[in-house]
């Protein structure tokens, strides 16, 4: 039995939950939702992952593993789902990393206003994080959309979750403006059962 330490709002935990659906391992995994921040880490999560970050996956056959990219590779290898195809491996891993970068920058923007006192929020820092996201969106629109076609890979899963997090936390930034191909792809990909069933409430 597997136990996933997760949170509905976390884009990284969602990537794993989508992966569980896509690999068919969801029925063999207990989802343990926790509330955890850098300021107040969940004790169970911290015991599984000493860094205290979501997600973490507890296994019967060894110590818990983390972070989301490690967990998704593990799940894919465990059932041979082909989410990391050898023929496109480096492109898939690069796009997966880009999606993680978008989510990390968006989370930093969110934490800046949620965890700091209002008078200590540093807007230049938030804008610098958005600049990373904007560059990534431009790169996706200009040269990566062809990789988003065809059989589902973890690149698509990670990107779908990262864009979903932008909608959840930074909707006022309107990431779709100037990115019509990416917006069209995201709209279709968001209808997959694995995405609708893991969408944050």
């Amino acid at each position: 039995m597997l136990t996933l330490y997760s949170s509905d709002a976390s884009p990284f935990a969602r990537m794993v939950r989508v992966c569980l659906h896509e690999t068919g391992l969801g029925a063999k995994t207990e989802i343990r939702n926790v509330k955890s921040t850098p300021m107040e880490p969940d004790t169970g999560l911290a015991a599984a992952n000493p860094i205290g970050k979501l997600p973490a996956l507890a296994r019967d056959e060894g110590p818990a593993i983390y972070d989301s990219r490690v967990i998704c590779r593990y799940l894919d290898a465990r059932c041979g789902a082909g989410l990391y195809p050898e023929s496109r491996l480096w492109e898939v891993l690069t796009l997966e990393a880009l999606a993680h970068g978008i989510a990390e920058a968006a989370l930093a923007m969110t934490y800046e206003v949620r965890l700091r006192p209002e008078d200590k929020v540093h807007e230049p820092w938030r804008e610098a994080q958005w600049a990373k996201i904007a560059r990534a969106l431009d790169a996706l629109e200009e040269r990566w959309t062809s990789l988003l076609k065809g059989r589902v890979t973890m690149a698509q899963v990670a990107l779908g979750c990262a864009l979903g997090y932008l909608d959840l936390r930074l909707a006022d930034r309107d990431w779709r403006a100037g990115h019509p191909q990416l917006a069209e792809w995201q709209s279709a990909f968001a209808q997959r059962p694995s995405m609708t069933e893991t969408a944050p409430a």
Side-chain angles (χ1 to χ4, degrees):
M1 188 69 179
L2 302 169
T3 301
L4 178 68
Y5 290 86
S6 180
S7 167
D8 287 345
S10 166
F12 307 106
R14 188 184 182 194
M15 291 171 194
V16 176
R17 296 198 313 276
V18 173
C19 185
L20 286 168
H21 280 273
E22 295 289 346
T23 58
L25 291 172
K28 299 179 180 178
T29 306
E30 174 193 353
I31 306 296
R32 189 169 297 175
N33 283 306
V34 300
K35 292 184 178 180
S36 187
T37 71
M39 308 293 288
E40 297 180 3
D42 177 81
T43 55
L45 172 62
N49 176 1
I51 302 300
K53 286 186 174 183
L54 290 166
L57 185 72
R59 312 169 294 157
D60 291 334
E61 73 269 27
I65 58 174
Y66 40 84
D67 60 11
S68 54
R69 280 176 281 192
V70 174
I71 296 171
C72 290
R73 286 299 293 268
Y74 167 80
L75 295 173
D76 183 65
R78 180 165 171 152
C79 67
L83 295 175
Y84 294 92
E86 284 294 327
S87 62
R88 296 187 291 159
L89 182 60
W90 303 117
E91 289 81 5
V92 168
L93 290 176
T94 298
L95 190 49
E96 183 187 32
L98 188 62
H100 274 253
I102 291 171
E104 287 163 1
L107 183 61
M109 291 179 70
T110 301
Y111 275 169
E112 185 70 14
V113 294
R114 293 184 67 191
L115 300 182
R116 283 183 182 271
E118 187 175 352
D119 63 330
K120 292 190 169 29
V121 171
H122 191 48
E123 284 301 330
W125 164 259
R126 295 189 81 237
E127 292 306 314
Q129 300 308 309
W130 181 254
K132 296 178 187 179
I133 295 170
R135 290 194 300 269
L137 294 171
D138 289 345
L140 286 162
E141 182 74 15
E142 292 167 8
R143 54 183 184 267
W144 287 104
T145 52
S146 63
L147 192 65
L148 300 178
K149 299 174 183 176
R151 182 175 174 177
V152 172
T153 70
M154 270 310 300
Q156 295 162 310
V157 169
L159 183 58
C161 293
L163 296 177
Y165 190 69
L166 294 184
D167 286 335
L168 178 68
R169 297 297 192 211
L170 300 170
D172 60 314
R173 297 282 180 154
D174 189 18
W175 67 263
R176 291 173 178 79
H179 308 103
Q181 295 181 88
L182 190 58
E184 181 180 6
W185 172 83
Q186 187 271 344
S187 179
F189 191 78
Q191 301 308 309
R192 290 184 69 82
S194 60
M195 293 295 288
T196 59
E197 292 173 24
T198 59

